[in-house]
Amino acid sequence: MAEHIGTTCVQGGYRPGDAEPRQVPIYQSTTWKYDTSEHMGKLFDLEESGYFYTRLQNPTNDAVAAKICELEGGTAAMLTSSGQAANFFAIFNIAGCGDHVVASSAIYGGTYNLLAHTMRRMGLECTFVAPDCTDEELEAAFRLNTKAVFGETIANPALAVLDIERFAAAAHAHGVPLIVDNTFPTPVNCRPIEWGANIVTHSTTKYMDGHGAAVGGAIVDAGTFDWNAHADKFPGLTTPDVSYHGVVYTERFGLEGAFITKATSQLMRDFGCIQSPQNAFLLNLGLESLHVRMPQHCKNGQAVAEFLQQHPKISFVRYPGLPGDAYHELAQKYLPQGGCGVVSFGFNGGRAAAEQFMKSLRLAQIATHVADARTCCLHPANATHRQMNDEELVACGITPDMVRLSCGIESTEDLIADIAQALDTI
Ligand SMILES: *Cc1c(COP(=O)(O)O)cnc(C)c1O
């Protein structure tokens, strides 16, 4: 039955049987008991699916992952402890020491650090390209040992929109998958798999939870990348895994299951970045209203962006929904119903004006967060992107006076009034 996305938000992933709990049960248990050690042995050999230890898998998490999988139109999915863990796993599952990835330079600061510094110490190199680079620049970024291309549908906080089809075509021409972090639009506003992305990641901490209640992440596999056709590049998926009794993931689990099974059985086993089932339960409550909340976030984002754009104290506004925005055309293509509630802008008065503005807001509160029901704001150069020098900041599309305002789902009029009074104090 082809259902609409709102129905999947509410009912996806978990369909109770006769006399079963209506709400997804929280399996608050580290372990599962078995009658025979032979039975348990089969689980360890991945010959049978089942649960034995929550560091690897938990039924609550799997029900919520299944909902996110349905929302994105994938074939398999998993939850992780955070968005950082999701992006790390998605990349490290197919690229390690001696390998290389191509990434958009307009990405979340944490992901930039992960790729530019931490994964580099693990022997993985990354070439960053501007999201609006030329085809020649994109082409030149690839190497023989490139294993993946990475980007964000809407970059946090630069608000650049990724041309998913173009990046997917370049990745596929080089025999590697495109990984897209779809945190900001959520599948309600964009489904990257429909545009050629092979792996989709999320910080569920943001709109999916939506209430600032639980840190979490998710990885969805589209099942569309043919690992066997590029077997030399992806031996981890296409040759026996010595750490798992010689299982060949693509043979045993098919293209639809290989990627997520490998990430679960190797990376979850060894790194243990599991989401707690309590948090998965909270995430699921958030998902139930995602399709109702996203339009209000977008409505507020659009109204605030339009208000700021005509204000004399504002030097620039970035919001892909604004006609004239550098990414407006791409937004119309990939995000026809709106993108997200996050608006970035700068001040004629520079950094000092930004700080004064933030101090004066009453409804909008200063928080290292975006994308929850309550409006919040952040000064990236002072917070998330603090580790970067000015050159790196500019490459990420950030200026020292830039404020990122994440419009919540409050009444539009009140948000505008709050912003207007804060601007009056400058
Ligand atoms: C917040 C964020 C992350 C990191 O997620 P956490 O849940 O904070 O670990 C990754 N990507 C994007 C686009 C984000 O906004």
Side-chain angles (χ1 to χ4, degrees), residues 81-85 87 108 111 152 154 156 181 183-184 202-206 215-217 370:
S81 54
S82 66
Q84 283 299 110
N87 282 327
Y108 177 66
T111 313
E152 293 176 7
I154 305 178
N156 175 10
D181 181 332
T183 296
F184 267 20
H202 280 278
S203 167
T204 62
T205 317
K206 313 295 166 52
V215 171
V370 280

Side-chain angles (χ1 to χ4, degrees), residues 54-371:
T54 285
R55 169 152 47 75
L56 282 95
Q57 270 185 296
N58 176 288
T60 310
N61 292 18
D62 285 353
V64 180
K67 176 181 281 188
I68 295 173
C69 189
E70 286 177 35
L71 287 171
E72 287 289 6
T75 57
M78 69 198 287
L79 298 188
T80 56
S81 54
S82 66
Q84 283 299 110
N87 282 327
F88 173 59
F89 276 23
I91 296 162
F92 197 62
N93 204 33
I94 48 172
C97 186
D99 291 335
H100 171 258
V101 299
V102 175
S104 163
S105 58
I107 52 175
Y108 177 66
T111 313
Y112 178 87
N113 280 334
L114 175 69
L115 284 166
H117 304 299
T118 301
M119 291 194 81
R120 183 176 214 104
R121 285 201 281 123
M122 302 169 79
L124 180 110
E125 290 196 20
C126 181
T127 300
F128 292 97
V129 293
D132 37 17
C133 65
T134 64
D135 287 344
E136 292 69 32
E137 286 165 335
L138 183 54
E139 185 62 27
F142 285 88
R143 302 183 191 165
L144 286 173
N145 59 345
T146 301
K147 297 296 169 73
V149 176
F150 180 89
E152 293 176 7
T153 315
I154 305 178
N156 175 10
L159 302 179
V161 178
L162 189 73
D163 191 343
I164 301 173
E165 276 192 320
R166 187 162 81 94
F167 275 66
H172 299 159
H174 289 270
V176 302
L178 173 66
I179 304 172
V180 172
D181 181 332
N182 195 37
T183 296
F184 267 20
T186 83
V188 169
N189 285 337
C190 180
R191 306 197 332 150
I193 289 171
E194 291 172 357
W195 300 102
N198 304 101
I199 313 286
V200 173
T201 59
H202 280 278
S203 167
T204 62
T205 317
K206 313 295 166 52
Y207 290 114
M208 281 192 166
D209 165 5
H211 300 78
V215 171
I219 309 172
V220 180
D221 178 15
T224 50
F225 192 81
D226 190 350
W227 311 106
N228 293 316
H230 307 283
D232 54 321
K233 282 191 201 289
F234 303 106
L237 284 155
T238 58
T239 61
D241 176 2
V242 289
S243 79
Y244 248 112
H245 320 290
V247 63
V248 177
Y249 292 102
T250 47
E251 263 173 27
R252 183 80 66 83
F253 303 100
L255 295 184
E256 65 279 8
F259 185 89
I260 293 293
T261 308
K262 177 177 182 287
T264 301
S265 53
Q266 285 180 347
L267 303 184
M268 266 313 175
R269 179 194 62 187
D270 297 350
F271 293 111
C273 309
I274 194 82
Q275 186 166 141
S276 89
Q278 293 273 353
N279 281 2
F281 177 84
L282 292 172
L283 166 59
N284 189 52
L285 290 183
L287 289 170
E288 288 183 5
S289 63
L290 185 64
H291 62 299
V292 181
R293 291 183 286 108
M294 286 311 291
Q296 181 67 14
H297 282 292
C298 294
K299 177 183 172 225
N300 281 346
Q302 186 75 30
V304 164
E306 285 170 11
F307 173 77
L308 289 168
Q309 194 179 34
Q310 52 73 45
H311 199 284
K313 289 181 183 166
I314 296 297
S315 58
F316 71 89
V317 181
R318 286 206 209 124
Y319 189 71
L322 277 184
D325 184 87
Y327 295 96
H328 187 62
E329 251 177 61
L330 286 174
Q332 284 185 309
K333 173 174 175 180
Y334 292 108
L335 308 155
Q337 301 158 35
C340 63
V342 182
V343 184
S344 297
F345 49 97
F347 296 81
N348 290 325
R351 191 179 194 129
E355 284 165 4
Q356 172 62 31
F357 172 80
M358 302 250 312
K359 249 190 286 214
S360 309
L361 289 167
R362 293 180 194 141
L363 275 185
Q365 292 170 354
I366 300 173
T368 312
H369 195 44
V370 280

